[in-house]
Amino acid sequence: MVQPPAANRAAPFSAYPWYAIGITALAAAVATVLLVIYGGERASEARQTAVMLQASRLQQNVSRVENNLAGAIQVSAVAMHLLAPLRDPAEIRRDVLRILAGANSHIVSGVGVFYAPYAFNGKPLDGFYADRGLLQRGTIYVLDKHFGFNYPAAQWYRDGIAGRGELEFTGPYFAHGHTFVSAERAFYQNGAFAGEVLVDSFQATLVRNMRASIESNDVAYVTNDAGKIVFSTSALPLPGAPFEASQSRPIRGVPWTLHFTSDFSATAAKQRQIWLTCGLAIALLWCLTAALILNLIRTTRYKAQTIGLRQQSAELQIEIAARVAVEKQLRVTAYHDSLTGLPNRAKILETLRGAIAAHPEQGRFAVLFIDLDQFAVINDSLGHTTGDTLLQHIARRISQQLPQGAVLARLGGDEFVVYAPLKAQDVHHIATRILETLRRPFTIDGRRVYTGASIGVVLGGPRYVNAEELLRDADIAMYRAKEGGRGRFVVFDEDMHERALQRLLVESALRSAIQHSEFSVRYQPIISIATGEVCGIEALCRWDRPEYGEVGPVDFIPIAEQTGAITEIDSFVLGQACLDARRLQRRYSGIPVSVNVSATRLTHPDLVSGISRVLFESGLDAASLQLEITETALMGHTDQAIRTLSRLRDIGVRVVIDDFGAGYSSLSYVQRLPIWGLKIDRSFVHPMASDTQSAAIVRAIVALAKTLGLHVTAEGVETLQQLHLLTEMAVDSAQGFYFSPAVPFEQIEDAIRSRRLRIPG
């Protein structure tokens, strides 16, 4: 059987290159890990770079703040001598202006000098205050009642005084529209407060520095040691805000801490870009890996499919070769006889079709149908093995007698057909040669075997359009040869076909007649020649065929015997005859009925039991039944016939040999058979008045019967002269048209009622 196409087969699991697939997947995994590590490093590097940049800016601002503080401290240190001895305001004015114009002047907005005498009495401090704006206008305010600001009441001032001479940075305060962070230092003489120097605008400088270094969305702010926000450069970060990192660093010399917070949005975007790039690279890597793996799998499947296709191709080649061999063998088997090696029926029909096509107008070939004579006897006596060997010898012999171009075929059994491209005048010669060669004995296993054949010949012609018609007509001619005495050949003519067709129609009509009960029984009286009385009746079958009328047994009994329909016909006649005989004996006792038994029924194993059943069902006594059997029925089955007839005699049935003398009469089997009488055939009775030989034969038959103690009946009596001769020969009984034809049962009673038919004295 052809397997499914290899292209549809998947490669077996073990066939895939798992080592290559594993190495590819492992390489992709390693590359993925490396890309993840690389992306992480790049993202971390970007983060670290941003943090480092933030720390750098923080450090820069812290340095600036510390420088500002240092400058403020230096200013306060320089201002100390302003109060060393209390000096003239003009001199102090000059010193202050010198300070404001000095190196650190950019870090202060103003400088104030306050004197102690009125520090705690609630009166304004004595002193003066100078800021950069006033300096630009050339004005210095003297801190007196004209200044308008009550320093002693300010908390930052009180906190500064409480410092007892230590440097103090005040918290932010608002004055004159500005926010200030001041660095102040109190001075003491002999444990008493002597005065204070104030340096303002530290915050403005700090914020200005930080704003110069921070970027957008960053926040810088300062807290004191208690964690309180002192000031900032932007909005302060709240919990949950999107800031990602912050840097804090304490300012040297003060309890403050500078904080620097960044949202790192650019860094996050860069990190996202790094990870997106890595992700795309990983996706591309795995796509390439999957493509490579799929290609490996596809290649493996392709290789597996290629191998499968090669295997399938090899299998198909083997199968094709096997099929070719099988087809060749089938062709040989289909067109040749297995026993003889000759062409068979199919082959000879093909040959005949070719011959018909080659010669459509006129016949230039002949068909010989050969059937062996008595071949069944050889099979039955010597066995089928000998019969097969004989057929092989016969095939060789016939082949040797055929002309060039002829074809010998065996149809089956003992039938052969010859196609020969012969002209009509050559057919007689080739058929004669075949018959002569088959008459010669064959030697098989040291035994001489004889056989013969009958041949039917058909000449090709325009009337034949298919090969079957040639074989049909040749077969018909062969049967005519057998009917003509066997061992001869007959050339087909149209009358044979008509007779065969008529026979076929009769066969079909017989089957229908049995189904529709178209048969009837007629009775012909048998007359005792000595008394002239009816001594018996013979039952004769008639066929009441529609559209044809009454048909006699001679026209259909032989066909019924050949088709097997005779069994049903015989059973019908026997049953009806026994019933009518029983009805007749109710009025006229002692009149038996004679019934013909077909040759085919004589060897039937159920013949005796069937007759016994009919006798029982009809109530007829067995002695009132006579069975008439022809001589032909006894040929070849003498021993079996003797056993059957003996059983019939044992049950009381009489047996008469019908048509005696017309067949192969043998005194030996007449002597051996348990029969009651003989019936002389009409072919001897009819001409004996004018033919002395026929009369002599009848006389001899009568003498033989009398010698053997057999009852003699002559049939076919039609004239008074025939009756006189039979009377002289002491024939026991006679029947024929002279007395009465076969009539229905109702009319036979009229003849019996007369008790005596007219027999001239």
Side-chain angles (χ1 to χ4, degrees), residues 525-607:
I526 301 175
I527 308 302
S528 172
I529 295 180
T531 64
E533 295 181 349
V534 176
C535 62
I537 56 176
E538 180 180 4
L540 300 174
C541 184
R542 295 292 185 270
W543 179 10
D544 300 323
R545 188 177 180 184
E547 300 179 2
Y548 287 89
E550 187 176 280
V551 181
V554 177
D555 296 324
F556 68 86
I557 289 298
I559 299 176
E561 289 180 340
Q562 294 174 5
T563 59
I566 191 64
T567 301
E568 297 181 60
I569 296 175
D570 277 358
S571 298
F572 165 73
V573 173
L574 178 63
Q576 188 64 45
C578 290
L579 289 174
D580 290 342
R582 183 71 182 94
R583 288 167 55 194
L584 188 64
Q585 288 183 353
R586 291 191 181 100
R587 299 189 184 97
Y588 310 104
S589 61
I591 298 179
V593 61
S594 296
V595 180
N596 291 279
V597 177
S598 171
T600 59
R601 294 294 306 279
L602 183 61
T603 57
H604 199 282
D606 296 335
L607 175 63

Side-chain angles (χ1 to χ4, degrees), residues 247-524:
Q247 294 285 336
S248 301
R249 183 164 295 180
I251 301 174
R252 184 173 60 242
V254 295
W256 293 354
T257 301
L258 178 60
H259 303 278
F260 200 79
T261 301
S262 175
D263 63 353
F264 289 93
S265 58
T267 303
K270 187 174 182 179
Q271 287 179 327
R272 285 195 298 271
Q273 183 179 4
I274 292 172
W275 285 118
L276 178 61
T277 304
C278 290
L280 291 175
I282 291 172
L284 179 60
L285 172 66
W286 279 106
C287 287
L288 293 175
T289 302
L292 180 59
I293 292 175
L294 289 176
N295 185 60
L296 289 172
I297 293 175
R298 188 179 297 108
T299 302
T300 303
R301 287 184 176 177
Y302 174 76
K303 290 180 179 179
Q305 291 170 358
T306 302
I307 294 173
L309 286 173
R310 289 176 181 173
Q311 292 177 349
Q312 185 181 13
S313 177
E315 292 173 359
L316 286 175
Q317 292 296 330
I318 295 173
E319 185 173 355
I320 289 172
R323 287 191 175 184
V324 169
V326 170
E327 289 176 359
K328 184 177 180 181
Q329 183 61 38
L330 288 175
R331 192 176 297 109
V332 172
T333 303
Y335 287 102
H336 291 80
D337 175 56
S338 59
L339 177 63
T340 62
L342 296 174
N344 59 9
R345 183 183 186 89
K347 182 62 177 178
I348 195 63
L349 285 174
E350 185 177 287
T351 302
L352 294 178
R353 292 189 190 102
I356 293 173
H359 307 288
E361 299 300 331
Q362 57 182 351
R364 295 185 179 180
F365 63 92
V367 178
L368 288 75
F369 196 107
I370 305 170
D371 187 88
L372 302 181
D373 296 333
Q374 303 297 324
F375 182 75
V377 176
I378 296 175
N379 270 338
D380 294 340
S381 59
L382 301 180
H384 288 275
T385 301
T386 301
D388 291 344
T389 305
L390 176 60
L391 290 174
Q392 294 171 347
H393 286 294
I394 290 172
R396 284 194 292 269
R397 279 199 186 178
I398 296 176
S399 299
Q400 294 170 358
Q401 305 302 320
L402 299 180
Q404 185 177 4
V407 177
L408 173 64
R410 180 183 176 221
L411 297 187
D414 58 347
E415 295 177 341
F416 295 86
V417 171
V418 174
Y419 160 75
L422 300 173
K423 296 180 180 179
Q425 57 269 26
D426 298 328
V427 173
H428 181 276
H429 177 66
I430 187 64
T432 303
R433 288 175 55 185
I434 292 174
L435 292 175
E436 289 177 352
T437 191
L438 294 181
R439 290 192 187 102
R440 298 198 306 269
F442 296 87
T443 302
I444 301 176
D445 296 332
R447 182 185 292 109
R448 294 170 68 85
V449 179
Y450 292 87
T451 186
S454 298
I455 302 177
V457 180
V458 171
L459 299 176
R463 65 181 299 271
Y464 291 106
V465 295
N466 58 64
E468 288 78 3
E469 293 177 351
L470 284 168
L471 289 184
R472 178 200 66 195
D473 292 348
D475 189 21
I476 293 174
M478 182 273 296
Y479 274 106
R480 293 296 176 270
K482 284 187 177 293
E483 292 173 357
R486 303 178 185 271
R488 55 197 295 267
F489 72 90
V490 171
V491 179
F492 177 81
D493 58 34
E494 290 296 332
D495 292 339
M496 294 181 185
H497 179 263
E498 292 298 329
R499 289 194 296 271
L501 182 60
Q502 184 62 31
R503 176 178 175 178
L504 178 63
L505 294 175
V506 171
E507 290 179 5
S508 177
L510 274 176
R511 297 296 182 183
S512 177
I514 293 173
Q515 294 178 0
H516 296 87
S517 302
E518 296 177 3
F519 294 101
S520 61
V521 180
R522 301 290 188 270
Y523 297 95
Q524 187 176 38

